[in-house]
């Protein structure tokens, strides 16, 4: 919640708009599933646990950064912020979705796969 408030203040927009963009990102990109898979992963040792934790934090950070990027290209006219983003970055979005689709088929999300998807 604090991240959403910070983003709203940075962009001078309502928190509700930031929350909507954040939720739509999760829905469009399947970020909830990816987060759940990382949280369910059992770490073999302390280093694995630290790597998984860092990866989960990176996912949260990147989601907030992406929401900020969407809000910066949004004209502020009350239109569809994520719709404009989807048009402008269709190739990158398709690439990410292809990679997560592959993870879903394999059924494994570990640190190396997660890092590759977030790169």
């Amino acid at each position: 919640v604090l991240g959403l408030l910070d983003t709203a203040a940075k962009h001078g927009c309502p928190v509700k708009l930031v929350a909507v963009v954040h939720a739509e990102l999760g829905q469009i990109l399947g970020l909830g599933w990816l987060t759940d898979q990382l949280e369910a992963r059992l770490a073999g040792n302390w280093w694995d646990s630290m790597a998984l934790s860092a990866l989960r934090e990176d996912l949260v950070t990147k989601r907030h950064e992406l929401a900020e990027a969407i809000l910066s290209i949004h004209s502020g006219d009350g239109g569809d912020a994520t719709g404009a983003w989807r048009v402008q970055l269709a190739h990158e979005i398709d690439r990410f979705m292809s990679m997560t689709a592959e993870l879903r088929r394999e059924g494994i999300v570990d640190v190396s796969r997660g890092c590759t998807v977030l790169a």
Side-chain angles (χ1 to χ4, degrees):
V1 173
L2 294 177
L4 299 177
L5 292 170
D6 184 48
T7 300
K10 253 189 233 182
H11 291 277
C13 62
V15 176
K16 183 177 180 181
L17 175 60
V18 177
V20 166
V21 168
H22 196 266
E24 287 177 353
L25 276 173
Q27 210 169 34
I28 293 165
L29 299 175
L31 298 177
W33 176 84
L34 189 56
T35 302
D36 290 347
Q37 295 302 304
L38 288 169
E39 288 176 357
R41 186 88 180 150
L42 296 176
N45 58 47
W46 184 83
W47 290 106
D48 290 344
S49 177
M50 294 303 292
L52 282 167
S53 178
L55 186 55
R56 285 190 302 268
E57 287 176 26
D58 283 350
L59 182 57
V60 168
T61 299
K62 287 188 182 287
R63 187 173 181 177
H64 280 288
E65 288 171 354
L66 194 49
E68 286 187 23
I70 289 170
L71 290 165
S72 20
I73 63 171
H74 183 252
S75 64
D77 61 2
D80 180 11
T82 54
W85 164 75
R86 288 176 91 168
V87 169
Q88 288 183 354
L89 296 172
H91 177 72
E92 290 82 359
I93 294 166
D94 287 346
R95 179 181 166 273
F96 181 84
M97 292 176 78
S98 282
M99 292 176 78
T100 55
E102 180 65 26
L103 291 177
R104 285 178 190 263
R105 279 191 295 278
E106 291 177 359
I108 300 169
V109 180
D110 56 14
V111 172
S112 59
R113 288 172 178 87
C115 287
T116 302
V117 168
L118 294 180

